[in-house]
Amino acid sequence: MTPERFRFVSLLALTCIFPFATSIGDAQEILPPGFRPQPVGVHALVGGKVVVKPGETLDGAIVVIRDGIIKAAGKDVSVPADARVWDMKGLTIYAGFIDAYLPLTATNAPVSTTETQPITSETLTAGGINFFGAPGQRTDRGTPGPGYEIARITPEQRAVNQYSPRERTLTPLRELGFTAGVIAPANGIVRGSSALVALVEDNPNRIILKPDVFHHIALEPQGGEERAYPGSLMGVITTVRQSFFDAHHYALDLADYAKRPTERVRPEFNLSLEALSPAAEGKMRVMIEPGSVLMVDRAARVATELKLDFAIVSSGQEWRRPDLLKAIGATFIVPVNFPTLPKLPGEDDWEQVSLDQLRAWDWAAENPALLRQQGREIALTTYGLGDKKSFRKNVKLSLDRGLSEDDALAALTTVPAELCGVEKQLGTIEAGKIANLTIVDGKGYFDPEAKVREVWIDGKIYRVSTDDSKKPKTDAEGSALKNEAPEPDEKRPDKKGELREAQKQRIARSPIEGRGPINNPPSVLIRNATVWTSGDQGVLTNAQVLVHGGKIQQVGNFKVELGPNTLVIDGEGKHVTAGLIDAHSHTAILGAVNESSLPSTAMVRISDVVNSETRNIYDQLAGGLTTANLLHGSANPIGGQNQIIKLRDGASPEELKFEGAPAGIKFALGENVKQSNASERNTTRFPQTRMGVRTFHANRFTAAQQYLQHWEAFQKNGGSPPRRDLELETIGEIIQGKRWIHCHSYRQDEILAFLRTMEAFNVKVGTLQHILEGYKVADEIAVHGAGASCFADWWAYKFEVYDAIPHAGSLMRDRGVLVSFNSDSSDLARRLNTEAAKAVKFGGTPEIEALKFVTINPAKQLRIDSRVGSLEPGKDADFVIWSKAPLDSTTSCLQTWIDGKKYFDRTQAGERAAALAKERAELIAKARKIAKLAGGGGGGEAAKDDGSFFRVALEHQYHGMDRHCLDEEER
């Protein structure tokens, strides 16, 4: 018999033996003889308490499962004759829990947006996103093969392609009651897509519930060992923007090529942009992990700008600024990785713990409830927990802090199901849904004594092992041995109950308490004061200032009829000035001051990383500062875009921004730019010489001119639009006169070279910053029209400033240059008035003119002098009340007002400090008590000191540090 004949006869015989094989094949796989038969696929779970969905419970109900699907659930359900019956009396049955964020390959804690900039000898060795002034030698700009030019943009990565179930990973999740989870990519910025899987060890093809659930983005500045772009938080945000703009352009370009393939150049194939298209078009939800509370707000704003359908991975820090959550309509995935109290060597070591660390510990468990109070939907996740077993304990802490059981259950079932788009298959116990169930004994899942007994996944039971180590030992008859089960002592204190009660009560105040305007009267009248107007009126004695509606109404000697709600301030013996203005500050920037990876980072924006939570704002208000120009650092020839802010303490980042202020950008010259003081391994970036800096500037401005021409041609002739390039777009705004340059500069030769280069492109420079040798070329600066924003008396701190002198500001003023003094220091910004006084001491500048160095002159340089800088009718009511003349070295700032609202009052500063000290003392007392009750640790008997208590929030990362153009750690 031939082989073909034999196979035909065999198949015919099998068909005769199993005539229904084809009809039942869809329901159950037929296994060859010798294999264990498939288990029964019909089950009836009888007599349990069935929680159909949050808020709906059936006692003594029946759940019928057939072939992995729930066929019926209710009290009047008939048990099928062929069903295996399971007695569920005394048990609670929930819909199987879903963990909506499981980066299983990651061992790190949730994203932390703290900046690090590692350096290797391979820094910037290619073209593409990197610029050398010559074509690069590497053909692959990002990852190997077709893709995006930035290696950390990998939307083409699919978690489903890499997923292989592992028992050691999945068993702890099932023990917590989880039956499904979203397996997410763990590395990069735009990381790729996640997959929803059943949490069982089975053939990966069978357990995929949804192969592509979310596209994942993490605002994570760490970039591995290569110091490649982006290396800062602001660079990461810009990269996200650019990649989505590129995805839109890629789709348009491909469509245009499809219409006329013989008339134009073939577009590049880009696997990354192709994969990103569904998210860019709003067809696929984006999951963003911001890493801090202010980045939650920024992530939501960027997602809205890009028109994305998005959800947020909670930073755990939302308690810091709950007001920012109100405008965010997204669902939050909420980790419960709460800080645990450390075991400190001695009691005195508590004195080294900061108030913010204590607040973060005390607030953490309340964060889920706070999110719900703000109207946000939440889904709980095990993400970030080093020990998964602490999940239920931490959820219980959240329940004790106000999270309702219904909300907690929804956060494990219905919310993640809807978020993942599988609400028709999972999330509730209803007919037609997948038979994923979580079964708990006792009173229910949220009873700390109850145990997860088993989970059902796709209609199959997976029993959970229980820890019998704590069960009392028994004799042969099953009775407890006396020495193992002592009689309860009614007098013995209930430490667990006492610990729970102590943990229930939050002592920490909200960080926004005590911030914001101290007083906001409709009108203010200052009488009998010496008023330094910094305007045409000069200095007025025994004068008055009238403020109404946040604006200055009158200044001088006048009669006025006061309204009933006018606040009258007696200015006898006091001096009043306009609010001080710092034209060069880095005081309120999140993460790195520099995006130093590229020679041109014109695309990055300080506006994305404004830090409203820094204590520097309050400290500088105490020195009379009301406005600051937040600048990118000086690490590259073309830096990032600036942001002018008003120091409205307590306001959000958006509310700090000086509305209507002209746009600007930071440029730099000299040693920082050409990396003169860097190590050999950090000197691979172009340019490395001063002549290279001039060449680079000319190159980028020429490229920007061409970019503008391409857009003009498109607007005139139509066709396929050019790619939107955020770097060239920004430089194009400079050429168009829409953005002002603020250029870090020291030496006279490079100052002249830079001014001439800009004049060649018909660009007028806004300010030359620091400008230590500006006095040598003051006439040329005056002719060009640039302002000079100087150090008052810095010199000899590196080679290129050897010729700096403290007379420079006064000399340039005498030659007709508009001069201001800046701080470039979070510390000096607290006393700009005494910096201005140095112009009197060294340069003989009249006091009235010296004060202008920190009031009207910087306002003019920043083009905001129509609003601030002097006390004149119609301007914003930003003013300072001083105890003596403002340039007196013994004067004190008594009050600081912005927009007619009082933000600082020295008489109340002591009370504020005392309240903070009292709060800290009470928190330390609570921490010591809980540590004692918990046997040394604050998270319970099994708590481990994982260092989480000492994590510093991004917003407070630089607390107590003085930030400059080139921070030490960024060199």
Side-chain angles (χ1 to χ4, degrees), residues 211-266:
D212 296 289
V213 184
F214 310 117
H215 259 297
H216 289 263
I217 294 174
L219 304 185
E220 175 64 270
Q222 283 95 336
E225 294 186 356
E226 287 196 15
R227 191 177 185 179
Y229 177 80
S232 68
L233 185 56
M234 55 185 157
V236 168
I237 296 169
T238 298
T239 299
V240 171
R241 270 198 194 93
Q242 186 67 71
S243 62
F244 276 88
F245 290 155
D246 287 346
H248 280 294
H249 176 261
Y250 183 71
L252 293 173
D253 204 30
L254 287 179
D256 183 70
Y257 180 71
K259 292 178 182 177
R260 48 191 190 98
T262 61
E263 303 174 21
R264 50 157 291 175
V265 175
R266 179 184 74 255

Side-chain angles (χ1 to χ4, degrees), residues 156-207:
E156 69 275 17
Q157 298 295 328
R158 301 176 73 202
V160 71
N161 292 340
Q162 309 294 328
Y163 181 63
S164 180
R166 294 288 184 269
E167 181 179 2
R168 67 177 181 272
T169 302
L170 301 183
T171 298
L173 293 169
R174 291 198 297 266
E175 289 174 350
L176 295 173
F178 288 99
T179 60
V182 175
I183 308 304
N187 300 307
I189 299 170
V190 179
R191 295 177 166 182
S193 64
S194 53
L196 180 64
V197 304
L199 299 178
V200 294
E201 304 84 42
D202 200 347
N203 184 335
N205 294 337
R206 293 175 179 165
I207 62 177

Side-chain angles (χ1 to χ4, degrees), residues 277-290:
S277 290
E281 295 171 2
K283 297 177 180 178
M284 187 173 181
R285 184 165 287 155
V286 175
M287 182 69 68
I288 308 175
E289 187 174 358

Side-chain angles (χ1 to χ4, degrees), residues 598-657:
L598 298 174
S600 174
T601 55
M603 57 281 191
V604 306
R605 307 173 184 178
I606 295 295
S607 62
D608 284 333
V609 289
V610 174
N611 185 4
S612 59
E613 307 310 290
T614 174
R615 180 179 165 180
N616 289 333
I617 292 176
Y618 181 81
D619 291 345
Q620 292 171 17
L621 282 167
L625 193 72
T626 58
T627 302
N629 182 27
L630 300 181
L631 286 170
H632 183 277
S634 59
N636 26 23
I638 301 178
Q641 302 166 32
N642 71 314
Q643 179 61 57
I644 301 172
I645 65 169
K646 285 196 176 188
L647 275 62
R648 305 177 178 111
D649 188 32
S652 69
E654 290 301 308
E655 292 166 341
L656 286 181
K657 295 175 182 178

Side-chain angles (χ1 to χ4, degrees), residues 694 697-698 701 752-763:
R694 186 262 169 210
H697 283 147
F701 274 77
L752 289 179
F754 177 68
L755 292 178
R756 289 166 180 166
T757 301
M758 293 299 99
E759 288 168 357
F761 291 94
N762 296 316
V763 170

